[in-house]
Amino acid sequence: MDELLAARLQMAFSLGWHIVFACIGMAMPFFMAFAEWKWLKTKEEIYLDLAKSWAKGVAIFFAVGAVSGTLLSFELGLLWPEFMKHAGPIFGMPFSMEGTAFFIEAIALGVFLYGWNRISPTAHWISGLVVGISGVMSGIFVVAANGWMNSPSGFDFVNGEYTNIDPIAALFNDAWFTQALHMTFAAFASTGFAVAGVHALMLLRGHKIRFHQEALKIALVFGAVAAFAMPITGDLAAKDVAKRQPAKLAAMEAHYHTEKSASLIIGGIPDDERQEVDYAIKIPGALSFLAHGDFESEVIGLDQIPKDEQPPVIVTHFAFQIMVGLGSLMMLIGIIYFFLAWKKKNYLNLKWWLWTLTVASPIGFIALEAGWTVTEVGRQPWIIYGVMRTSDALTAMPGIQYSFYLIVAIYALLTLAVIWLMFRQVKAIHQKYEGKGNDDLVIR
């Protein structure tokens, strides 16, 4: 393994791990705030327990996310010093604002965790909302920084020098809005399905308590509604990519040849040597329409991109297909859920449905990881699109492989710690409700 590959794998592993906790931090505070709102409205203790239980989960994920986020900030400087040397003064603002949002989130979470019976119920509920809003803002600022890497702006690059720096223009780069919008809904969809799947499993294991029923309902409604929005936000993001990064779009679709009325490729196995895609389903003109809103428009293929500026096609194409496929599956599950809740409520307690939700619990995060892979791998070989190559940003420090192995070990231990802590939280709920099962609930 060479130094560049080791550095890229370390960043990919760190980001892939952190993004899960970041997304949970964006979405789950809204679940707990909604549960508290239900308690304020109905005075049913079960919603109070749900809000408190989810708040403890948020605290665990917040702490772990803070650790992984700190590691990432060090990795940016240690692994990519040339990148940070030049990019830091330009896109430092979103990171500074992300830090501010993080501190607000930490303070609000402290109020929420320790403010029960110490401040008014309304003020306490608002503190939960602040946790969620600051978490979302924190995610948006980080995505804005990534958007700048895909669409660099706010500076002039002349003779290898970065001049006329404008941090505001860098923050509001052309990619920030579509990326942040898509990412925010993805966070709610993936977290909603994961939380619903965990509570469905608890119901299947015989913990027939209304606590899990209500938790499943709230999480799945959030997740399904967000999943319905994904095609819209994804279409906006894809049109933006087609305009600014035609090489990435061509890799996503394994679109080797520039042509008008380009076909949308579903599935298939790209062959770089023959520049063909085997076993794919092709819909004539659909790629032109999705990219440019016109069935006859020309879509730039990889044949117009210099060989040394083409992203890896196979990885980008497969990741894109996985993201779209699993996103479609989440939408289908959401449609089935709302239909059952409307017409066949008794079906919601059937084993096949609960097993479906349990099996589907990780698909949102798999789609999320696939989408992030499209964003990052599809930008290669650039770390700053069109300006700086990833290889030129690499540190001269040898032995990055050992740093990569250490990071993998640290994250493996953190994963085990999170699983253990979450298991304790679930067990505490079952102890409280022991002997108070919902006798009317029959899992068939």
Side-chain angles (χ1 to χ4, degrees):
M1 184 187 303
D2 62 30
E3 306 290 347
L4 179 59
L5 179 60
R8 288 185 60 192
L9 284 175
Q10 182 171 328
M11 284 303 297
F13 193 84
S14 299
L15 278 167
W17 202 88
H18 177 73
I19 198 172
V20 172
F21 294 89
C23 286
I24 292 173
M26 292 170 72
M28 204 160 172
F30 287 99
F31 299 0
M32 73 181 191
F34 184 82
E36 186 178 13
W37 174 76
K38 289 277 286 185
W39 172 64
L40 292 172
K41 187 178 176 184
T42 65
K43 296 303 178 187
E44 290 190 52
E45 187 180 3
I46 198 166
Y47 293 114
L48 177 63
D49 289 340
L50 192 49
K52 288 183 175 179
S53 177
W54 275 344
K56 291 175 182 174
V58 168
I60 292 169
F61 290 122
F62 178 85
V64 177
V67 172
S68 58
T70 304
L71 277 174
L72 270 171
S73 63
F74 281 113
E75 286 174 336
L76 277 173
L78 292 172
L79 297 176
W80 315 104
E82 283 301 310
F83 168 68
M84 292 306 295
K85 173 184 173 183
H86 299 292
I90 305 171
F91 81 154
M93 179 175 283
F95 280 126
S96 300
M97 297 177 77
E98 190 266 342
T100 303
F102 174 80
F103 281 120
I104 295 173
E105 184 182 2
I107 293 168
L109 182 58
V111 171
F112 194 89
L113 289 172
Y114 298 104
W116 295 103
N117 302 320
R118 292 186 173 89
I119 58 177
S120 72
T122 302
H124 188 270
W125 174 67
I126 290 174
S127 72
L129 284 181
V130 172
V131 176
I133 293 169
S134 53
V136 168
M137 293 307 298
S138 182
I140 288 174
F141 288 131
V142 171
V143 174
N146 181 266
W148 179 83
M149 295 164 69
N150 288 313
S151 180
S153 58
F155 67 98
D156 291 330
F157 186 61
V158 181
N159 297 325
E161 298 291 331
Y162 298 77
T163 60
N164 296 327
I165 292 172
D166 182 350
I168 300 296
L171 172 63
F172 295 107
N173 58 78
D174 289 341
W176 85 271
F177 177 72
T178 54
Q179 279 195 218
L181 186 68
H182 196 50
M183 187 72 200
T184 300
F185 279 102
F188 278 85
S190 54
T191 305
F193 272 78
V195 174
V198 169
H199 290 288
L201 179 62
M202 292 300 106
L203 289 168
L204 282 168
R205 293 185 65 179
H207 301 293
K208 297 184 295 183
I209 54 179
R210 191 162 159 248
F211 177 90
H212 290 306
Q213 279 186 303
E214 293 302 317
L216 190 159
K217 187 192 302 180
I218 293 171
L220 192 54
V221 167
F222 270 98
V225 171
F228 294 152
M230 295 303 291
I232 300 170
T233 62
D235 180 64
L236 291 172
K239 282 183 166 57
D240 188 52
V241 167
K243 181 180 176 183
R244 292 181 300 93
Q245 294 179 288
K248 180 185 285 187
L249 180 71
M252 288 160 60
E253 276 294 313
H255 184 61
Y256 289 103
H257 307 288
T258 302
E259 59 183 347
K260 293 184 177 180
S261 191
S263 299
L264 179 71
I265 294 176
I266 300 175
I269 302 173
D271 185 326
D272 282 342
E273 289 191 7
R274 292 191 293 116
Q275 299 198 343
E276 298 288 344
V277 183
D278 299 322
Y279 315 114
I281 298 172
K282 297 184 178 180
I283 304 175
L287 180 59
S288 293
F289 179 76
L290 291 174
H292 302 296
D294 180 354
F295 285 100
E296 298 298 324
S297 290
E298 181 180 87
V299 179
I300 296 173
L302 289 164
D303 57 354
Q304 289 197 18
I305 310 296
K307 283 284 184 185
D308 65 345
E309 295 183 9
Q310 293 181 6
V313 176
I314 294 177
V315 173
T316 310
H317 178 69
F318 282 152
F320 181 64
Q321 297 294 315
I322 290 170
M323 178 188 70
V324 174
L326 292 181
S328 301
L329 180 59
M330 292 166 72
M331 284 181 57
L332 177 62
I333 293 173
I335 292 170
I336 294 172
Y337 169 70
F338 284 117
F339 175 77
L340 295 180
W342 177 39
K343 288 290 187 181
K344 301 284 184 182
K345 279 189 171 60
N346 56 322
Y347 280 39
L348 296 174
N349 296 323
L350 296 181
K351 281 186 177 179
W352 68 264
W353 172 245
L354 295 174
W355 272 118
T356 298
L357 294 179
T358 302
V359 172
S361 60
I363 63 174
F365 285 118
I366 295 172
L368 188 79
E369 299 285 4
W372 197 249
T373 300
V374 171
T375 301
E376 293 301 289
V377 177
R379 191 185 60 242
Q380 300 305 316
W382 306 100
I383 191 168
I384 306 174
Y385 185 70
V387 177
M388 179 186 287
R389 288 176 179 270
T390 308
S391 56
D392 295 334
L394 182 65
T395 177
M397 179 184 72
I400 299 175
Q401 300 86 346
Y402 303 107
S403 170
F404 169 57
Y405 300 144
L406 179 62
I407 286 294
V408 171
I410 289 172
Y411 282 137
L413 289 173
L414 278 173
T415 302
L416 292 174
V418 170
I419 292 172
W420 177 68
L421 288 169
M422 295 308 297
F423 178 77
R424 286 188 57 187
Q425 291 304 314
V426 175
K427 189 176 178 182
I429 287 294
H430 293 160
Q431 287 173 342
K432 176 170 182 177
Y433 284 88
E434 193 171 5
K436 300 178 184 176
N438 184 358
D439 295 332
D440 295 333
L441 175 60
V442 178
I443 307 295
R444 293 175 291 176

